[in-house]
Amino acid sequence: AVVGAVGVGGLNFLNTNIWNPYRTRLEEDRWTADYEKALLPYSSIAQPKVTDVRLTVDVFPDGPYALTRGVYVFQNKTNAPIRTLHVRFDRDLKVQALSVEGAWPMKTYDRFNYRIFAFDAPLRPGEKRTLSFTGRLGQHGFRNRGDDTLTPGGSELVVHNGTFLDSFAIAPLIGMDQLGLLKDRAKRRKYHLPADLRPPKLEDDRARAFNFVTHGADWVNTDITVSTSADQTPMAPGYRIADRTAGGRHVAEFRSEAPILDLFSIQSGRYAVRRVPYKGVDLAVYYDPQHPWNVDRMIHALQVGLDYDQANFSPYQFRQVRIMEFPDYSQFAESFANTIPYSEGIGFIIDAADRAKIDMVTYVTAHELGHQWWGHQVASADMQGGAMLSETFAQYSALMAMKHLYGPDQIRKFLKFELDSYLRARGGEAVEELPLERVEDQGYIHYRKGSLVMYRLQDEVGEATVNRALRHLIHDYAFKGAPYPASKDFVADLRAEVGPDKQQLITDLFEKITLYDLRAVHASSKKRPDGRYDVTLQVAAKKLYANGQGKEIEAPLDEPFDIGLFAREPGKADFGPGDVIAFRRLAVHSGKQSFTFVVDRAPRFAGVDPYNKAIDRNSDDNLIPVS
């Protein structure tokens, strides 16, 4: 036993202290704080933008490691000469070679994998030069924590089957920004950092020089070659222009036909493939052969999403959409140009057949497809509200696809999920809840509240009106560089599309934190001599505005809301259009009021805002049984 304990302990020590650095969460927080103190001041220094990417990635799934070699072209897009180039890499990428055309290494921060080059002659406005590098991402043995398997928020996964890497993990970034810095206020206070690290204000037009996704680039041309084991399929954004197997390696080259964002993924796995040509677009799902259950559902979601997004926004810019499964080390999907990595845990191994549950497979698939417009056609400015133009609009694309697929009577469970998620999360806000148009890194606002806002918006002003404003945004900003669009640009387009009677609605939805208390107090029905039924519904209502710290002030309420009578409870699995007995939009005011109906059938349920379109502080009391 002693010998065994010493042997196992020695092996653990060798792996976690000799072969690999020993890192704790405390050490990582300290490192990140020191990283910010040393390097964030450089974020104000003007830098060139990447324009062309040529990259080779050799994946060794059984290593596990990946080798990268690349040549990047960058250009001075400012109006003044640039004298230094700042280059940073992921902490765990071992940079084996790095050179910059016409520049010499002026300063290196080895601890932070950050380098500063000085140009022999300043980079003139419009001038281009190249950066060449070689790197290795991988590990020998195992670490005490943070192995090269995907963790929440991570971007590196080199495994036996299902490798996923994104460009932030394997390629350089130009210039310094706030990516990856500490957000938690307690941690920032502990390490003597400014209390809050926040993006530029919505009014700061200087921030429109950078996009929300790739701070150091605008739109780039890509040529990416990926090699992997002979029995696996290599994947990257772009169109496959070469494919061969040689020396026990499967090699494929992918090239973009038009500029894309400088954000891409590399994947490798033993995939089965389901391909379906659809209206000139090649749809494909690359999946583990053991996980075939939801593949057809994903294909159908792509078809529904393409039909809606192309008809209402703009033509799809590619000839292919590919979904690729990766292992359930983390649960998310991410949209790159014509390529969607998708965790097995949220798409491939869940039971999506239960009609009582939300069809998350279709929902997530339609959302990620929506990003091909909201992110990969229109890239928002890196400022407050940036996430609204990407995540909120992708949520809208998904909700509209779901609405047209399942019908408006089935949308309640989706809205209820979003509403409850938003209400739970806002109570835990540590800094400041912001209106949607000013949202920062607050997922409960740009995802959850954003869905509710956009759905109610199209319900109130008309789907066609909302889509006209979105098309105007695409017309003005699609595939264009700086200045990038801000959330206020969409709000202005929207105001121009609606009449004067809807201007306050836009203010409430986008510029304020607006809450409601809508409650069904009592409902009764009585059979008439003619066989029909008199129905009375009593409602209590209240409208409130909240500030960023949650303080609420009551405001006068006089707005239209849905009033409904139903044979079955909305949101349940057996609820359908035939269960809607009466459904009207009627004016609701502050306080208590009654609504009367004459209907042909006796309703079992009645309610105000029964489909949860408003942001109601307690939506569980919107519906009530009819006595």
Side-chain angles (χ1 to χ4, degrees), residues 70 75 90 121 124 191 219 231 267 282 309 342 353 358 390 420 472 484 523 564 613:
Q75 182 181 24
D90 182 90
R124 299 185 304 275
Y191 293 108
W219 301 86
D231 64 338
Q267 289 188 249
D282 179 35
D309 296 341
Y342 205 135
I358 296 175
S390 57
D420 290 346
H472 196 278
Y484 289 99
K613 297 172 187 176

Side-chain angles (χ1 to χ4, degrees), residues 362-385:
T362 299
Y363 195 53
V364 172
T365 302
H367 172 96
E368 298 305 331
L369 178 66
H371 275 307
Q372 300 298 314
W373 282 262
W374 314 116
H376 291 284
Q377 286 195 23
V378 174
S380 60
D382 189 12
M383 64 194 313
Q384 283 185 330

